[in-house]
Amino acid sequence: MSDKPDIRANRPALALHVPEPPFRPGDTPDFSSIKIQAAGEVPRPDVAADAAETHPLTTQLVRVLDDNGHAVGPWNPKLDPDTLRKMLKDMKTVRVFDDRMYRAQRQGKTSFYMKCTGEEAIAVSAATAMDPEDMHFPTYRQQGLLVARGYPLVTMMCQIYSNKGDPLQGRQLPIMYSDKKHGFFSISGNLGTQYPQAVGWAMASAIKGDSRIAMGWIGDGATAEGDFHSAMTFAAVYQAPVILAVVNNQWAISSFSGIAGAEQATFAARAVGYGIAGLRVDGNDALAVYAAVKWASERARTNNGPTTIEFFTYRAEGHSTSDDPTGYRAKGEAEEWPLGDPIARLKAHLVALGEWDEERDAALDKEIDSSVRGAQKEAESQGILPQQGFDNIPSMFEDVYSETPWHLAEQRDQALDEAREFLGHEPK
Amino acid sequence: MSDKPDIRANRPALALHVPEPPFRPGDTPDFSSIKIQAAGEVPRPDVAADAAETHPLTTQLVRVLDDNGHAVGPWNPKLDPDTLRKMLKDMKTVRVFDDRMYRAQRQGKTSFYMKCTGEEAIAVSAATAMDPEDMHFPTYRQQGLLVARGYPLVTMMCQIYSNKGDPLQGRQLPIMYSDKKHGFFSISGNLGTQYPQAVGWAMASAIKGDSRIAMGWIGDGATAEGDFHSAMTFAAVYQAPVILAVVNNQWAISSFSGIAGAEQATFAARAVGYGIAGLRVDGNDALAVYAAVKWASERARTNNGPTTIEFFTYRAEGHSTSDDPTGYRAKGEAEEWPLGDPIARLKAHLVALGEWDEERDAALDKEIDSSVRGAQKEAESQGILPQQGFDNIPSMFEDVYSETPWHLAEQRDQALDEAREFLGHEPK
Amino acid sequence: MTTRNMIEAINDAHRVMMARDEDIVVFGEDVGYFGGVFRATAGLQKEFGKTRCFDAPISEGGIVGTAVGMAAYGLKPLIEIQFADYIYPGFDQIVSEVAKMRYRTAGEWTMPMVIRSPYGGGIFGGQTHSQSPEALFTHCAGLKVVIPSNPYDAKGLLIAAIEDPDPVIFFEPKRIYNGPFDGHHDRPVKPWSKNELSEVPDGHYTVPLGKAKVVREGEALTVLAYGTMVHVALSAIEDNGIDAEVIDLRTLLPLDMATIEQSVKKTGRCLVVQEATKTGGFASELATLVQERCFYHLEAPVERVTGWDTPYPHAYEWVYFPGPIRMKNALKKVLEA
Amino acid sequence: MTTRNMIEAINDAHRVMMARDEDIVVFGEDVGYFGGVFRATAGLQKEFGKTRCFDAPISEGGIVGTAVGMAAYGLKPLIEIQFADYIYPGFDQIVSEVAKMRYRTAGEWTMPMVIRSPYGGGIFGGQTHSQSPEALFTHCAGLKVVIPSNPYDAKGLLIAAIEDPDPVIFFEPKRIYNGPFDGHHDRPVKPWSKNELSEVPDGHYTVPLGKAKVVREGEALTVLAYGTMVHVALSAIEDNGIDAEVIDLRTLLPLDMATIEQSVKKTGRCLVVQEATKTGGFASELATLVQERCFYHLEAPVERVTGWDTPYPHAYEWVYFPGPIRMKNALKKVLEA
Ligand SMILES: Cc1ncc(C[n+]2csc(CCOP(=O)(O)OP(=O)(O)O)c2C)c(N)n1
Ligand SMILES: Cc1ncc(C[n+]2csc(CCOP(=O)(O)OP(=O)(O)O)c2C)c(N)n1
Ligand SMILES: [Mg+2]
Ligand SMILES: [Mg+2]
């Protein structure tokens, strides 16, 4: 077909670029090449500003807390000490909760667990910045939303144990919480699905002339799903009152963020292409997170449209209890991570304010430890996973539909017969 | 749950923004508010430039032909007159072809047709700028690629008639062409699917150290599909040697481009969020299209990565033979469209160069008219759709798999029995 | 009572319900100003405003995904997928989210939505405007699947679907939007106006979900059909003078097994009919259920009339379509076995 | 000959074929450096380089979509979908593109690719790590669907699938990756090493697609099973001392109907077994085919053993799973009917 047969011979060979993280097992991590803005450096546009005015911020990093624990610059939300102490307590609670539940899984008390170590500031500050009536569409790493909103730890644990106290009746994998009253939408196992759902909820709120807004959450890795694009597109088209958060914790199981496109652009920068306001925020800085979410929620609430926020952070532990990160990333990355530990940073800030000291901190740790232990004891009194599975079998056939159709009724009866035979007695 | 029950009462009511095109039936279209760069105004970065250097161009408009038919500015590709005349001929051929096939459908000779009137420059110039070995993953509106690459008009028509000469054996809807030799990938009825496929083809070429590149095509409306995002993401991550074109003809059936997000950002700007090079081009300016595609193909071919190009144009006719645009858009929009008719503009350029005149133009029109008519006659001699459907029935059961499994063989035999009964004679 | 074709009946169901229930929102590709490529939503935007009926981006995943969020808020999305062939980009949201939400949240969040979509062939639409993907959804616990076969049922079933607390996939046989089609592609098209089922009451009424309808009583065999194929079956039965009982399923999931069993136990023979691709179609589920539950009444194997296991080929539409001859041969086979 | 579990056998099939055919590219989520969450691709990136085996973005649609482009170029993509439950975002590319490409281009473009994915429950994975969606693909003309039940077959079938010119959906029963599972969740886990089918030849060999295997001969009834359920069926048969003939289908589409027919005509009774949700599962297709083709040999209705029509509930895994008691009751029902 070609009339220029010699063209290709003179051309350079193409080559596929396969991104590779800077460090692999055996390497010594060194993050000095990551450019980090000084705290207070990034300007704060008006909440009603043109989206375009925010776009330079998508390649920077909104930070409030400096290395000495001082809150500086235009994004300083100037929170009162009580609020700060509540945030510290919530963040610490999340960490202790994670540790205990991780151990519970290791002890065989349940099948699965996922920590958010190092990312506690993000969910806790977001919950603090928004109204209790606002709706979250979270991923499995926003347990901090529930903690900050006062959802009972015991109930969270019961869900994890799939026991009698589990409001989801043992139907969901551990940590797939759901609670309407606390504005926490049912977590999906399928990555990304919640993102356009958040937009739809916000659209509904706007259709109804309500004042509640929604916040959708997604991980860096899951931004690659088509649902991410659906959410951004619908949010932009209908100017939905929604905040679309990307928690960039650098890893998606074993894939580093470059496999989701981070070598070429920040996740916040995705906003630019849709004409959505965009912010990129130090996710380990509780005040910066608070300020950014507050900004975006005010923007949404005043009909100024959606905001995409990238929270730049680091997944300090394995992906889940099924994962061992030493197989794919260098040891010590979490320690070397240049943005520090969010709990330590918030504590330092309170100390710098003169509103906190080591004594109170130790007392708080003790209090949290004992309340989490207490909750665990109470939850376990309602059963752990290995004891579940043969009580209240009819419940398993409910809620497929609003009413049980004939075929499920038949199957339920058959299942009960089988259980009777298996147990050697009438199932409870 | 709320401890601040009064908050919502003081808040403004949210409102859903539903985009609406500037004009509807009954309105008098007036596009003077569309900002159009003067020809030659937009700079031309080096083909190896950082993607970021192109990003300001995503909100501008690369234009070469000015109102007097002169080619101006850094994007002027300085094509020789023979090439220009070939482009003019191809564009005119496409338009005549469209007209005749549209009429054939209206005459009941086939089931369906889609024109690309007003968009002829885009496919023809792209084909001209790329190598014949490069692969296109087109939509149904790039018939110009086939015409420019010399695919026989008769074969295109046979496909449209689903007749004996149809290389796709009557299996596909009219205009869903496919031809490997001409680097034209099988058109899909499902919008958007071809976009990541183009990226995959380009990745394969890079994996193999080949020098051929790919070009994916999509409409403004279809950019909303998840596949658009897959394509952009994979192209960015692996720096695939691919050109991703968005043909923004302002309409997607009855929905204007605002329903795909055009109120908030250009389609070219999507590139920014992925760190892909982006260009926005006057799609009715054959030279600008050529120059942009040439630039992007050189960039891809030298391992400098993908480019997204928005071609800004206007769908001058209905979406397809199933559509009547007077039901949703104002009359006269095509005539008012500020970027003019691509054929008239290229012709004016050739005239301005002294390489063309009315006489030659009339002769060319006549030549094209007669060759298209001749092709149509030849195609129709091989049958029109209403005569099809009962010849060579076994072919219908082939190519589901490489070999015919037992169940399809049984079904084939049954279908033949039925046809025998229906026809009253042995099917051919 | 007004004479309506199926599109008009469906349009009217929208109108009636949108007026009664402010929480109903209608959206989809081209459904707003224009009123849909098949005109099912014509006039709704004008009547109910832009925030109750509007165009959506071309993103079936986004349409379903945002509808999930709206349902979570408390609205009742009534959405259109332009062609059933284009439902696949929304498949994850439908099977992973819509279908399972009530279950996975133990009833806390429900998904009272209707996903309408024209399906089926016979309009020379080629491979991607002709598909019948109902079996992909009947395999999915949590969904209800409804397919009307005439204007009266279309309106009544759609209203019932909108009022139903569970998510409903509502497939509309596009071949019979404008008139019942008996499978004789070589005969003139009949309009609905000549058919009594085009007498569609004004205002609100329902045809209950989960209830099949015996549309013809008979003794010789039972024919199970839905959508376009109800008409093809009835016509073949008349043409061949067979005393068949014909059941229009109307709801595929949950199925009205009682009506089916009663009939098959009476006739002792059964033919199941679908336009979809044969292997793994809903007809297989029907045949399996019938032989499981009526085995000792069966005098012959349950037979299937279906489309072929190929994509729907443009020019070979009438070889693919399960038309009068395929029907006749199958009826004979079941009767003579 | 080396003793291998299923993961090792599958890994070895990759290795053997990547060495033989430079056009094979392996990609998917976490499959590169790390070697996959189930380790099926462990070591491949190191051995064959980053452009032959690499991590993909979390976009099943993008993974399949780019694989289509690669196949169009001339490569042979061998891709992994991390869990079958996550295949839905790639559904459109699979059913609309991969499956139909050869047909719609009259053989000009073919799609010689393999889409591997772990499926099935029994690992306390909850609703979204336990699904068995094979019936969604067996309804789709143009695809081949393969499910191995042991290491020997896994390697041989995977090599055959890679060499096959048609696209193959290769579902791997993850519950038996490390050992055969007889359905007794309350008994200790057995390793593959004690099973003769873990004797896996080194190097190249194939187990042909489209051929079922009679894994146990018997006279009393025919049991059709695949994947994990082959072991559950065999164990129930031994436990209950039943003289059943068990057929491991291995390939679901195209089906080895000849082997099935021969067996059922001999035994006169048939039980079909699947782990998937009951309604509209592949078992329905099997039951339909068997009664269509063997009706006059059948002494009892074809029965089904399946999962229930609910999502796979985390805590109720062993009530959901079609285990020994469900098997036993169904075997008895078929035998005593
Ligand atoms: C659709 C889908 N594909 C794949 C998976 C498997 N999976 C679960 S979590 C995960 C990584 C997600 O990474 P990221 O989005 O960065 O979130 P993070 O875990 O870091 O919070 C993957 C691939 C899934 N759950 N859903
Ligand atoms: C997945 C999918 N959804 C919907 C359709 C129906 N459809 C066909 S063309 C079209 C409009 C496309 O508009 P655009 O992308 O702007 O391309 P244009 O027709 O303007 O060239 C629609 C909605 C489809 N073919 N595929
Ligand atoms: Mg991550
Ligand atoms: Mg368009």
Side-chain angles (χ1 to χ4, degrees), chain A residues 18 24-25 111 162 170-171 173-174 189-190 224-225 252 254-255 259 327 389 391-392 396 407-408 411 418 421-422, chain D residues 30 33-34 50 55-60 85-86 125 127-129 185-186 308-309 313-316 319 325-326 328:
Chain A
V18 179
R24 285 293 195 189
S111 55
S162 277
R171 294 184 191 149
L173 201 65
N190 298 58
E225 290 287 3
S254 77
S255 300
I259 297 294
D391 289 352
N392 197 10
M396 191 192 127
H407 64 285
L408 280 165
Q411 293 174 22
E418 290 175 10
E421 185 172 342
F422 177 72
Chain D
D30 300 294
Y33 183 92
F34 185 54
K50 280 204 304 176
D55 288 341
I58 304 176
S59 166
E60 293 74 13
D85 317 58
Y86 304 140
Q127 307 190 13
T128 55
H129 302 87
H185 63 90
D186 46 355
W308 305 127
D309 283 319
H314 179 246
Y316 291 98
V319 178
I325 297 175
R326 201 169 314 156
K328 186 200 68 184

Side-chain angles (χ1 to χ4, degrees), chain A residues 106-319:
Chain A
R106 286 290 184 251
Q107 292 162 352
K109 293 175 180 172
T110 192
S111 55
F112 183 76
Y113 192 71
M114 297 181 101
K115 292 177 162 190
C116 68
T117 312
E119 307 174 34
E120 294 90 347
I122 298 166
V124 166
S125 297
T128 311
M130 288 174 78
D131 281 358
E133 294 86 357
D134 294 330
M135 181 63 67
H136 287 278
F137 288 77
T139 81
Y140 43 75
R141 251 186 255 286
Q142 278 81 53
Q143 48 266 63
L145 294 173
L146 286 173
V147 171
R149 284 182 161 188
Y151 188 69
L153 299 186
V154 178
T155 315
M156 290 172 75
M157 289 167 170
C158 288
Q159 196 283 324
I160 290 163
Y161 292 135
S162 277
N163 68 14
K164 282 180 225 27
D166 173 11
L168 307 184
Q169 308 198 345
R171 294 184 191 149
Q172 276 277 51
L173 201 65
I175 61 92
M176 299 285 186
Y177 315 108
S178 171
D179 194 77
K180 201 180 230 175
K181 277 207 226 72
H182 290 78
F184 190 96
F185 191 72
S186 161
I187 294 173
S188 175
N190 298 58
L191 292 171
T193 50
Q194 71 286 354
Y195 227 48
Q197 293 167 3
V199 176
W201 196 98
M203 287 171 68
S205 189
I207 288 169
K208 285 297 187 182
D210 194 347
S211 68
R212 292 176 294 165
I213 64 171
M215 184 162 183
W217 297 80
I218 204 165
D220 50 304
T223 59
E225 290 287 3
D227 275 335
F228 174 82
H229 178 58
S230 301
M232 297 292 278
T233 303
F234 280 67
V237 168
Y238 303 108
Q239 290 291 291
V242 67
I243 305 173
L244 293 169
V246 178
V247 181
N248 175 7
N249 63 6
Q250 315 302 323
W251 292 92
I253 311 184
S254 77
S255 300
F256 87 119
S257 58
I259 297 294
E263 285 187 342
Q264 310 299 333
T266 69
F267 295 100
R270 294 278 194 282
V272 179
Y274 300 90
I276 292 177
L279 301 173
R280 189 155 173 273
V281 178
D282 177 350
N284 293 14
D285 176 341
L287 298 193
V289 174
Y290 180 98
V293 174
K294 196 82 193 167
W295 185 93
S297 63
E298 279 172 26
R299 183 174 177 86
R301 228 181 290 278
T302 49
N303 283 311
N304 283 297
T307 304
T308 299
I309 311 180
E310 172 182 351
F311 296 112
F312 196 66
T313 184
Y314 187 85
R315 194 195 76 204
E317 303 253 357
H319 172 73

Side-chain angles (χ1 to χ4, degrees), chain C residues 97-288:
Chain C
E97 302 294 304
V98 175
K100 299 188 174 67
M101 196 61 72
R102 178 188 289 271
Y103 192 77
R104 83 177 197 222
T105 67
E108 185 176 44
W109 306 90
T110 62
M111 289 287 121
M113 68 169 74
V114 180
I115 303 177
R116 293 178 40 249
S117 193
Y119 88 101
I123 60 152
F124 275 102
Q127 307 190 12
T128 55
H129 302 87
S130 305
Q131 294 171 28
S132 298
E134 65 274 12
L136 302 176
F137 300 94
T138 50
H139 187 42
C140 187
L143 299 177
K144 293 181 176 172
V145 179
V146 173
I147 299 186
S149 71
N150 60 70
Y152 180 90
D153 284 359
K155 179 173 170 185
L157 287 167
L158 183 53
I159 291 177
I162 294 168
E163 291 178 343
D164 197 272
D166 294 314
V168 179
I169 309 288
F170 194 88
F171 280 130
E172 301 166 3
K174 66 174 101 68
R175 183 57 173 89
I176 59 171
Y177 269 157
N178 294 313
F181 175 61
D182 61 11
H184 288 283
H185 63 92
D186 45 355
R187 295 186 190 164
V189 177
K190 282 172 232 144
W192 273 113
S193 55
K194 302 231 167 102
N195 185 301
E196 61 177 15
L197 292 167
S198 70
E199 290 299 299
V200 175
D202 299 327
H204 180 278
Y205 70 93
T206 60
V207 172
L209 305 193
K211 291 267 165 246
K213 186 178 169 197
V214 178
V215 291
R216 187 190 190 287
E217 294 193 6
E219 301 294 327
L221 85 163
T222 300
V223 177
L224 307 180
Y226 51 93
T228 303
M229 295 311 294
V230 171
H231 304 278
V232 179
L234 282 171
S235 160
I237 284 158
E238 300 307 331
D239 286 355
N240 295 286
I242 293 168
D243 183 26
E245 183 141 305
V246 179
I247 299 179
D248 179 352
L249 298 178
R250 304 200 292 201
T251 300
L252 277 58
L253 187 70
L255 189 64
D256 182 356
M257 197 62 213
T259 300
I260 296 170
E261 262 186 77
Q262 203 182 351
S263 176
V264 176
K265 285 184 180 160
K266 178 179 78 173
T267 62
R269 295 172 192 268
C270 182
L271 176 67
V272 292
V273 185
Q274 73 183 16
E275 189 184 333
T277 293
K278 186 170 193 174
T279 299
F282 191 64
S284 310
E285 180 62 26
L286 291 170
T288 298

Side-chain angles (χ1 to χ4, degrees), chain B residues 219-221 247 249-252:
Chain B
D220 50 302
V247 180
N249 63 5
Q250 314 302 323
W251 291 93

